[in-house]
Amino acid sequence: MKIRFTHSYESVISLENLLEAWKEFIIGKRSRKDVQEFELNLMGNIIDLHEDLTAKTYSHSAYEPFNISDPKPRRIHKSLVRDRLLHHAIYRQLYPFFDKTFIADSYSCQINKGTHKALNQFREFGHIASKNHTKTVWVLKCDIRKFFASIDHAVLLEILRTHIDDDDIIWLLERIVGSFNSGKPRTGLPLGNLTSQLLVNIYMNEFDQFMKHRMKIRYYIRYADDFVVLSQDKAWLEELLPKIADFLSERLKLDPHPDKISIRTLSSGIDFLGWVHFPDHRVLRTVTKRRMMKRIKENPRPEVMNSYLGLLKHGNTQKLRKRLI
């Protein structure tokens, strides 16, 4: 039996929750024009939002799209400050609950998780699965094709309903989920929404539970749409792959990216989360290294340099650090 979300719609949309959400939302954004304009009549804007939510006349605004390269080209969709404030209010109520439902070895967009912890867990799993590098370990590596753009709204809302009984909260989540048009009806979530980060983890938690509890996989790590499985048995990984594809397709309407599926030995080097991993060390991916050198050359400020030096502490990069210094 799944545990249930106990907060009410009234607590999610309360003035208290909206004001606390504003305090979190404003961090690092005070210099932005749209945020400053909203803050000029802060209480009036928050009360208007609260009244729209109470009357259930709230409607999400259209998104403003723009492109970034971080590191690969991405299409970001930005909503109005009013909507982003509501995203924070929803997130701060839902995240503590859903975080308890997630497996230990999913790492993206979670408090006290992140890339570095995923990298360290990969190294730890490599040690254990190989019995301290006395056995050959194979690594199945996959990611999801067009991940955010492929999230099925009906499936997502069905998953949310298994945890949330309050129809008004579901109504509000439908407004948020349905606010985005990916070009395919009732499909896709916008990159850039705080709620999207939480919702994709709730969505992929179905897959995590399948991997850990139905497939009984011990050495499994997921970061967003990238995931790996470690095993001494290559044939078992080959048999596992179609089962993974079937579950993703049938349950979540997702597909593994056909060009990004590999089964290789750990000793040959596994490219995962920006690093190439070997049994006893990891090195920075060549593309990441080139991008880093280019950015430092374009912007050699101390804070940029220190940021990259901090990154390089997480691998075997002594020569590269000396070169930078």
Side-chain angles (χ1 to χ4, degrees), residues 77-107:
H77 291 81
K78 179 182 175 183
S79 53
L80 295 182
V81 171
R82 184 178 198 257
D83 302 304
R84 280 145 56 205
L85 168 59
L86 177 58
H87 299 165
H88 274 260
I90 293 170
Y91 180 90
R92 69 189 310 274
Q93 293 274 321
L94 264 63
Y95 175 81
F97 167 80
F98 279 102
D99 183 53
K100 296 173 186 175
T101 72
F102 299 152
I103 68 168
D105 292 319
S106 69
Y107 289 89

Side-chain angles (χ1 to χ4, degrees), residues 271-287:
D271 189 334
F272 182 52
L273 301 181
W275 294 81
V276 180
H277 302 257
F278 296 91
D280 57 357
H281 69 288
R282 57 177 173 246
V283 297
L284 202 60
R285 182 193 291 162
T286 301
V287 173

Side-chain angles (χ1 to χ4, degrees), residues 2-175:
K2 293 190 176 182
I3 59 173
R4 314 300 292 179
F5 180 72
T6 57
H7 290 286
S8 66
Y9 178 70
E10 288 71 24
S11 70
V12 174
I13 69 165
S14 68
L15 286 171
E16 179 184 9
N17 191 43
L18 290 170
L19 284 166
E20 290 300 316
W22 175 259
K23 292 177 185 177
E24 296 170 4
F25 169 77
I26 196 71
I27 296 171
K29 302 183 182 72
R30 289 188 181 276
S31 62
R32 298 180 185 177
K33 185 179 177 182
D34 58 347
V35 174
Q36 292 173 348
E37 290 174 350
F38 190 90
E39 195 170 24
L40 285 173
N41 183 28
L42 179 61
M43 281 311 302
N45 286 327
I46 288 179
I47 289 170
D48 285 346
L49 175 59
H50 172 70
E51 289 177 347
D52 280 353
L53 291 166
T54 300
K56 295 177 73 174
T57 56
Y58 167 77
S59 179
H60 199 286
S61 64
Y63 290 90
E64 176 190 346
F66 60 94
N67 297 320
I68 64 169
S69 296
D70 186 29
K72 59 185 179 183
R74 295 180 186 274
R75 187 78 162 166
I76 303 296
H77 291 81
K78 179 182 175 183
S79 53
L80 295 182
V81 171
R82 184 178 198 257
D83 302 304
R84 280 145 56 205
L85 168 59
L86 177 58
H87 299 165
H88 274 260
I90 293 170
Y91 180 90
R92 69 189 310 274
Q93 293 274 321
L94 264 63
Y95 175 81
F97 167 80
F98 279 102
D99 183 53
K100 296 173 186 175
T101 72
F102 299 152
I103 68 168
D105 292 319
S106 69
Y107 289 89
S108 65
C109 302
Q110 295 176 57
I111 296 170
N112 298 322
K113 293 286 191 78
T115 308
H116 300 318
K117 289 202 172 181
L119 294 172
N120 290 338
Q121 186 65 299
F122 183 90
R123 180 175 57 195
E124 179 67 15
F125 278 171
H127 282 303
I128 299 171
S130 67
K131 301 190 182 300
N132 290 325
H133 309 306
T134 60
K135 303 288 185 180
T136 298
V137 166
W138 295 85
V139 181
L140 166 63
K141 181 176 177 292
C142 306
D143 76 7
I144 308 296
R145 189 209 300 262
K146 298 181 179 178
F147 181 43
F148 273 80
S150 300
I151 301 297
D152 185 277
H153 294 181
V155 173
L156 174 57
L157 290 164
E158 176 199 333
I159 293 167
L160 290 168
R161 287 189 186 97
T162 65
H163 292 285
I164 300 172
D165 291 325
D166 191 314
D167 290 337
D168 290 336
I169 294 177
I170 294 296
W171 171 85
L172 180 55
L173 292 172
E174 283 179 328
R175 303 278 84 69

Side-chain angles (χ1 to χ4, degrees), residues 13 89 174 186 231 246-247 289:
I13 69 165
E174 283 179 328
R186 295 180 60 78
S231 174
D246 287 346
F247 181 87
K289 191 187 309 180

Side-chain angles (χ1 to χ4, degrees), residues 239-255:
E239 292 171 3
L240 178 65
L241 190 53
K243 297 175 184 177
I244 287 173
D246 287 346
F247 181 87
L248 287 171
S249 175
E250 293 169 9
R251 176 70 181 110
L252 299 176
K253 310 292 179 64
L254 298 174
D255 297 305

